[in-house]
Amino acid sequence: MIAVSTPCVLDRDLAPEGYIVLHAYAAGNEPFAPWDPDNFSSRREYETLKASRAAVLWEAVEAVIPDARERAKLAEVGSPATHRRFLRRPEGTYGAATEDLLRDGVTAIQGLTLCGDSVFPGIGVPAVAVTGAAAANAMVGLGEQWRAMDALKKKGVMV
């Protein structure tokens, strides 16, 4: 399954006027060994692997926007090596391992509720947004959360 989201629907400030952000991703369930930087003889070899793995993501986007590749002004492709380097994830994991997934973000520390890709429902912009809403609800209650969202809508910050 390929998931494609457009977070600009919720926050127009994520991209300049006339542009949108698309986030496409798939489950990263392959071994890390093919991505280990020590296994590449050149940067070109790594970029070739990344491009071949990204092809399925482009195909999913192009099923909806046929000329997406030509229209893209910036395309960033992440890999397990990217996640290991920049997110400091062991072996390039993305999200939590199933057994590590926090069901509701609740911690043993009073007043500390977590959100993000390590909290159910996991990876991707939509899932992470859900965890943020759940954390807010756990901290302030649903009524107060709805009032805050209504106030943001009136300010034009949220749709």
Side-chain angles (χ1 to χ4, degrees), residues 15-111:
E17 186 67 34
Y19 297 90
I20 62 170
V21 172
L22 286 177
H23 179 218
Y25 57 96
N29 54 2
E30 64 184 315
F32 183 71
W35 293 101
D36 190 329
D38 294 336
N39 291 336
F40 295 104
S41 59
S42 68
R43 177 76 183 182
R44 185 178 183 157
E45 187 181 345
Y46 167 71
E47 292 297 333
T48 300
L49 176 62
K50 211 163 63 159
S52 72
R53 293 293 206 279
V56 69
L57 301 174
W58 279 112
E59 289 170 15
V61 171
E62 289 170 333
V64 180
I65 307 169
D67 59 347
R69 249 184 271 220
E70 292 78 36
R71 293 172 60 187
K73 299 298 181 196
L74 174 67
E76 296 285 348
V77 177
S79 73
T82 308
H83 297 150
R84 184 174 83 169
R85 180 175 181 196
F86 294 105
L87 303 177
R88 313 274 303 161
R89 293 300 183 95
E91 296 196 344
T93 58
Y94 187 50
T98 305
E99 62 273 6
D100 296 334
L101 198 66
L102 296 170
R103 284 177 178 57
D104 58 8
V106 173
T107 69
I109 300 170
Q110 178 75 26

